[in-house]
Amino acid sequence: MAKALLGHVGGPDPRMVAEMRRLQQRVRDLEAELVRLQTENDALAAVADNEVMALSANDREPALT
């Protein structure tokens, strides 16, 4: 029982602290990757929109007069 109390009162488990730090870093890395992918997706969507607009402008039929 003394070991259990000593471990509990002795402060946080170093393995638990290391795991928390590793997980926090992983979350930061994933958040950065998400921002990068969202930026890349927005750029690709803008290019696709421009291509669709250019194609539709060329395929229009002449207006009846």
Side-chain angles (χ1 to χ4, degrees), residues 2-3 9 14 16-17 22-24 31-32 39 41-43 56:
K3 285 185 180 180
V9 176
M16 184 81 89
V17 171
R22 186 186 71 78
L23 291 172
Q24 288 170 341
E31 287 172 340
T39 302
N41 188 48
D42 291 344
S56 65

Side-chain angles (χ1 to χ4, degrees), residues 1 4 8 11 15 18 21 27-29 42 45-46 50 58-59 62:
M1 175 130 175
H8 179 69
R15 293 173 296 177
R21 286 186 180 144
V27 167
R28 284 191 295 271
D29 292 345
D42 291 344
N50 288 339
N58 293 336
D59 293 339

